[in-house]
Amino acid sequence: MTVNAYHAPRIAQDIASRGRKARNRRGFTLVELLVVLAILGLLVGLVGPQVMKTLGSSKTKTARIQIEDLSAALDIYRLEVGRYPTTNDGLQALVENTGGAPNWNGPYLKKAQVPKDPWGFDYQYLSPGQHGSFDLWTLGADNREGGEGENRDVLGWE
């Protein structure tokens, strides 16, 4: 292919513009990357604790709702059997006839299994209870009595 005088300036312009485009596409400078990382670090530092606080309070709310649902199932059990399950029968009596109750008409829970609390521990059950016919509670994230924040006990009688 021969290049005549008409095409030569055009080819030179194409080569020059390709060079400019290549220079423009080199990427970000180290300073720009550090600025972006600093901004992201600040956002995570400011927003992260708020997100974790919200997650913790939602687990506490979930535990409270589950305790209410389990309490309703225990009330239905009492209506049919004539008494609440004993402490030895526990909440398992809501899904299987552990005590050999003659009028047991369960399971009284939709999924036919006793749920764990939002932190993965068993709910605590005492019957007869110290605060009513039965006591139902969870010990929170640390699975120990007392605590603050997410480690606080969620009590069914409050």
Side-chain angles (χ1 to χ4, degrees):
M1 172 173 143
T2 60
V3 176
N4 61 29
Y6 175 75
H7 291 291
R10 222 169 170 176
I11 291 172
Q13 282 178 340
D14 285 347
I15 291 171
S17 71
R18 284 185 192 153
R20 277 190 301 257
K21 287 180 185 175
R23 270 184 266 134
N24 290 341
R25 280 189 272 160
R26 281 191 186 145
F28 300 105
T29 65
L30 182 59
V31 173
E32 290 170 329
L33 289 174
L34 289 174
V35 167
V36 169
L37 287 174
I39 291 170
L40 288 174
L42 286 171
L43 286 174
V44 167
L46 294 173
V47 174
Q50 294 301 319
V51 169
M52 296 308 289
K53 182 178 169 184
T54 302
L55 286 176
S57 68
S58 68
K59 283 187 176 186
T60 301
K61 289 176 186 174
T62 300
R64 204 168 294 289
I65 290 168
Q66 283 181 330
I67 286 174
E68 289 174 11
D69 290 346
L70 288 169
S71 296
L74 286 164
D75 289 337
I76 294 170
Y77 179 97
R78 185 186 63 79
L79 287 173
E80 292 186 356
V81 174
R83 61 174 176 78
Y84 288 106
T86 64
T87 301
N88 289 337
D89 293 339
L91 296 175
Q92 196 61 32
L94 297 173
V95 294
E96 63 183 65
N97 193 355
T98 56
N103 296 332
W104 191 87
N105 200 18
Y108 297 96
L109 299 174
K110 287 183 181 181
K111 294 186 178 179
Q113 68 182 25
V114 179
K116 301 274 188 189
D117 71 11
W119 301 279
F121 301 111
D122 291 329
Y123 281 98
Q124 307 292 313
Y125 174 73
L126 181 65
S127 177
Q130 297 174 351
H131 303 277
S133 300
F134 65 87
D135 292 347
L136 185 58
W137 73 98
T138 181
L139 299 173
D142 63 354
N143 202 32
R144 293 187 200 148
E145 288 189 24
E148 296 288 323
E150 195 175 341
N151 294 331
R152 197 178 105 226
D153 300 347
V154 181
L155 311 173
W157 55 87
E158 286 184 341

